[in-house]
Amino acid sequence: MKHAPGSMILGIGAFAPEKVLTNHDLEKIVDTTDAWIRERTGIERRHILEKGKTNSDQAAEAAHRALKDAGLKARELDCIIVATITPDSFFPSTACGVQAKIGATHAAAFDIAAACSGFLYGLALANSLISTGFYKHVLVIGSEVLSRFTDWEDRATCVLFGDGAGAVVVGPSDGKKGILGAYMKSDGRLGHLLSLPGGGATHPATHETIDKRMHFLKMEGREVFKHAVRTMVDAAEHILKETGVHASDVDLLINHQANVRIIDAVAERVEIAHDKIFVNLQDFGNTSAASIPLALDQCRREGRLSEGDKCLLVAFGGGFTWASCLIQF
Ligand code: ACO
């Protein structure tokens, strides 16, 4: 390790909506099969947020749980960062919605849109804000309601995504535990391969944009797959080199949960043993920015994160964006 960590995770919490949609349920909606979805992606079921509930509702629930875990009150937060591409609205931000719902009366609040890399972008930002002494307690949330932006007539995408939220409270390091390094990258030239084209200033909502189904997520799956493996390997290798940690010293690898074939390919290329990879996408599908904090929460509850463990987090998403973070627990 080159530097002592400046910040550490003080608490983790997550929220998964009660309603579950299985692959068999999807067989009744589009021309697909449970076998195709399992073989090509590893996904078996996903959670869907109930009608009437919002992104900030589920984000606030995850936030409450992370604060409880950290032993902190909402009013002790200096900043709330929500990573999401499925916000409550363009503005006000989802983070402001969370701020109001949890009563974080002293906190600044804003969203970041870096798709599936958003949570790691938020964590990198929180690490900087805390390491420089600008803030003491930052709440980072990854929360998505992708079901509301999924084209339920497009079998190539609707089988992939799910809803959920995960949150961490970040605070000053105790000198041993904490964020050893963080890395963020982007390549906007490839943005068209994964996007939601309608509703922005380029294509404001019209009858035509609705007829053309432009308000739903679009993805060139095969192309995205190739870039996902390449960029996540870059992100993992970069952070290991920067922190001086060898791949064999990583205790747990949590990749963005998009496709089990991508997760395996990344682990194989970075040379991280199979038993150190965490996978929960069979139960959640791809929850974009929520996938890593949802996984972190589950790992901790299942005892997969012990004191002293080095955990490598790696993500890739629309933009394109990619990011990594190495944490000592
Ligand atoms: N059920 C049955 N058949 C299907 C389905 C389905 N749900 N979806 C596609 N098919 C068919 C296709 O039509 C195609 O048929 P054809 O050969 O007759 O043309 C065939 O299956 C193969 O399609 P591919 O797209 O080549 O399948 P692939 O093996 O690439 O798997 C997938 C598709 C799962 C989308 C994969 O490409 C993938 O995981 N891509 C990466 C996604 C990702 O990582 N996203 C991360 C970012 S997400 C974010 O940022 C919000």
Side-chain angles (χ1 to χ4, degrees), residues 193-208:
L193 296 174
L194 176 52
S195 69
L196 198 157
T202 311
H203 301 293
T206 60
H207 290 294
E208 194 190 352

Side-chain angles (χ1 to χ4, degrees), residues 32 36 40-41 116 155 194 221-222 258-259 261-262 286 317-318:
T32 191
W36 191 97
R40 298 291 179 122
T41 70
C116 308
R155 69 175 182 172
L194 176 52
R222 219 174 290 182
N259 185 314
R261 292 184 291 144
I262 296 175
N286 181 347

Side-chain angles (χ1 to χ4, degrees), residues 30-34 36-37 39-41 43 85 114-117 144 146 154-161 194 217 219-226 228-229 232 256-262 286-289 316-321:
V30 285
D31 179 17
T32 191
T33 61
D34 171 54
W36 191 97
I37 303 169
E39 267 166 40
R40 298 291 179 122
T41 70
I43 299 165
I85 48 164
C116 308
S117 313
E144 303 283 12
L146 285 151
D154 176 16
R155 69 175 182 172
T157 55
C158 77
V159 302
L160 304 175
F161 300 104
L194 176 52
L217 184 149
M219 180 167 75
E220 308 253 350
R222 219 174 290 182
E223 278 301 302
V224 173
F225 191 106
K226 273 194 310 210
V229 174
M232 288 211 273
H256 166 52
Q257 307 284 306
N259 185 314
V260 76
R261 292 184 291 144
I262 296 175
N286 181 347
T287 56
S288 190
F316 161 84
F320 283 166
T321 57

Side-chain angles (χ1 to χ4, degrees), residues 73-113:
K73 300 270 179 253
R75 62 175 180 275
E76 292 176 88
L77 290 173
D78 300 303
C79 183
I80 300 171
I81 302 172
V82 175
T84 190
I85 48 164
T86 53
D88 286 355
S89 55
F90 271 146
F91 70 93
S93 67
T94 303
C96 280
V98 173
Q99 185 272 338
K101 281 171 186 161
I102 66 173
T105 40
H106 302 297
F110 59 91
D111 290 358
I112 23 181

Side-chain angles (χ1 to χ4, degrees), residues 149-213:
F149 302 90
T150 296
D151 185 345
W152 293 101
E153 292 181 10
D154 176 16
R155 69 175 182 172
T157 55
C158 77
V159 302
L160 304 175
F161 300 104
D163 302 337
V168 296
V169 179
V170 189
S173 167
D174 62 4
K176 290 190 214 110
K177 285 184 249 173
I179 295 177
L180 305 179
Y183 173 69
M184 295 182 274
K185 285 279 284 192
S186 69
D187 186 348
R189 292 171 302 178
L190 301 169
H192 59 282
L193 296 174
L194 176 52
S195 69
L196 198 157
T202 311
H203 301 293
T206 60
H207 290 294
E208 194 190 352
T209 62
I210 290 169
D211 290 344
K212 288 184 172 168
R213 309 184 80 71

